[in-house]
Amino acid sequence: MSAEDPLLDQLDRQIILATQEGLPLSPQPYAVIANQLCCTAEEVMARLKSMLESGVIRRIGAVPNHYALGYKANGMTVWDVEDERIDELGERIGKLESVSHCYQRPRYLPDWPYNLFAMVHGHDRTEVEHKARQIEELLGDACHAHEILYSTRILKKTGLRIV
Amino acid sequence: MDELDRAIINHLQGGFPLCDHPYGEVAKQLGCSENDLLVRLEKLLNDKVLTRFGPMYHAERLGGGLSLVAMKIPPDDFERVAGIVNAMPEVAHNYAREHALNMWFVLATETPQGQQEALARIERESGYPVYNMPKIKEYFVELKLRA
């Protein structure tokens, strides 16, 4: 993150650094952070609140390991969607309950014709395929081809290191 | 994992309170004690049922670079390249997937320029090209799984 970012001042940045590994597991986590940073728990909470409002923080919560929860099939569904219709359709697919992430990304022709990515988690591949069919129906003739890329192994998973 | 663990996981995927005793408040909603909740959370994290607990930052809004990157690696060279990619602190997640493009990772850098440097380093050290697929548009991001 750049030092000139007008959205964030020094204290915001210190709070981000102090919480990169997560929130302290202590009854008063914001006071623990405040002690490290020589400010008050009220200031820490106010900054977190304002970063939530501005979207710098998406949410405060737990990230489950989907394998451990029984979601063994993790399918990255990718779709070749007409450029003129992708925004409208992307919004609709993003609203499907089964889709956790939905993005438009660049194609790499001829190797990679897909420009819409929708992540679908299921307990098994049948469940993922069922959910992919819902997406296929929604896209209709605006979609020319699609694939489901299943993950076979987590090679690495850590939180994002921002600083 | 028992019922309380599941309730904790389902309840804590977002909206953790900003107040003096947030764990105590959540514990009250779940009908357990603050200490129970803290002990359970610590165990879920240690057992890797949860990979993280805390604020989820939006990397681009922090001025950083974030991208999804794919590579096409021959199977007999896969472990070597996975080692190179995983060793980079900028790589947050890396998955093997069933496809000709068989390695997919998320690259998070402090600056957008840092992204180009990291990609160049991966190409140089691995000897294979990267397919950089930064998002053009985000339609939805909310990972919520029922435990």
Side-chain angles (χ1 to χ4, degrees):
Chain A
M1 97 189 92
S2 76
E4 302 82 46
D5 194 332
L7 284 174
L8 300 168
D9 68 8
Q10 189 60 30
L11 181 58
D12 291 326
R13 276 192 285 275
Q14 287 176 335
I15 292 172
I16 292 167
L17 267 175
T19 56
Q20 277 205 117
E21 302 291 331
L23 271 190
L25 294 177
S26 146
Q28 293 178 273
Y30 307 120
V32 172
I33 297 165
N35 272 338
Q36 290 167 21
L37 304 181
C38 300
C39 64
T40 65
E42 285 67 34
E43 280 177 285
V44 171
M45 287 187 264
R47 298 307 182 99
L48 288 171
K49 183 165 184 277
S50 104
M51 287 192 275
L52 274 164
E53 282 163 1
S54 69
V56 167
I57 298 176
R58 291 179 183 278
R59 62 192 170 92
I60 301 177
V63 182
N65 169 356
H66 44 257
Y67 284 88
L69 298 188
Y71 290 83
K72 309 263 186 224
N74 151 3
M76 186 171 75
T77 71
V78 295
W79 310 81
D80 173 6
V81 178
E82 286 174 13
D83 289 327
E84 309 76 63
R85 298 192 56 199
I86 192 167
D87 283 344
E88 167 223 335
L89 290 165
E91 294 289 345
R92 288 174 62 192
I93 286 162
K95 292 201 176 83
L96 292 176
E97 203 184 321
S98 52
V99 172
S100 64
H101 300 60
C102 187
Y103 297 109
Q104 181 184 356
R105 298 187 183 278
R107 299 184 172 95
Y108 280 85
L109 296 172
D111 288 15
W112 187 258
Y114 308 110
N115 57 346
L116 185 72
F117 288 57
M119 190 61 73
V120 174
H121 299 276
H123 291 84
D124 53 34
R125 292 191 178 193
T126 310
E127 188 181 334
V128 171
E129 277 149 28
H130 175 74
K131 291 172 172 177
R133 268 197 298 281
Q134 294 176 328
I135 299 175
E136 195 177 356
E137 280 165 24
L138 211 152
L139 290 173
D141 59 7
C143 174
H144 304 299
H146 81 275
E147 288 189 72
I148 303 176
L149 277 69
Y150 289 105
S151 67
T152 50
R153 196 150 50 106
I154 300 177
L155 304 170
K156 181 176 184 180
K157 187 164 187 181
T158 56
L160 297 186
R161 292 280 182 288
I162 300 147
V163 192
Chain B
M1 263 208 311
D2 65 10
E3 275 312 302
L4 181 56
D5 287 326
R6 286 176 206 284
I8 290 170
I9 295 166
N10 290 335
H11 200 84
L12 281 187
Q13 289 188 42
F16 190 66
L18 290 166
C19 62
D20 282 332
H21 288 86
Y23 295 106
E25 191 169 313
V26 170
K28 216 182 295 167
Q29 292 162 9
L30 292 170
C32 66
S33 73
E34 181 182 66
N35 190 55
D36 271 349
L37 174 60
L38 286 165
V39 168
R40 296 291 185 118
L41 254 182
E42 187 169 2
K43 183 163 192 319
L44 290 168
L45 285 161
N46 285 340
D47 293 348
K48 312 243 186 286
V49 174
L50 297 178
T51 55
R52 194 169 183 286
F53 178 71
M56 306 295 299
Y57 290 99
H58 193 311
E60 296 99 324
R61 299 224 175 128
L62 293 173
L66 188 68
S67 195
L68 178 68
V69 183
M71 295 181 81
K72 195 186 283 185
I73 310 297
D76 59 2
D77 209 8
F78 193 87
E79 296 307 320
R80 181 186 70 89
V81 176
I84 291 168
V85 169
N86 290 353
M88 296 183 59
E90 297 93 336
V91 172
H93 311 156
N94 188 9
Y95 286 87
R97 293 191 182 276
E98 273 177 18
H99 193 268
L101 289 170
N102 53 357
M103 189 183 291
W104 291 78
F105 53 90
V106 172
L107 191 68
T109 52
E110 211 176 307
T111 62
Q113 304 86 282
Q115 184 178 96
Q116 293 310 314
E117 288 160 24
L119 291 172
R121 194 159 96 232
I122 291 170
E123 290 194 325
R124 199 170 55 238
E125 289 182 15
S126 70
Y128 299 99
V130 295
Y131 294 69
N132 187 26
M133 301 188 191
K135 72 179 174 202
I136 297 170
K137 200 141 183 193
E138 176 176 310
Y139 300 113
F140 191 74
V141 185
E142 184 83 350
L143 184 58
K144 287 200 175 172
L145 302 175
R146 301 294 300 176

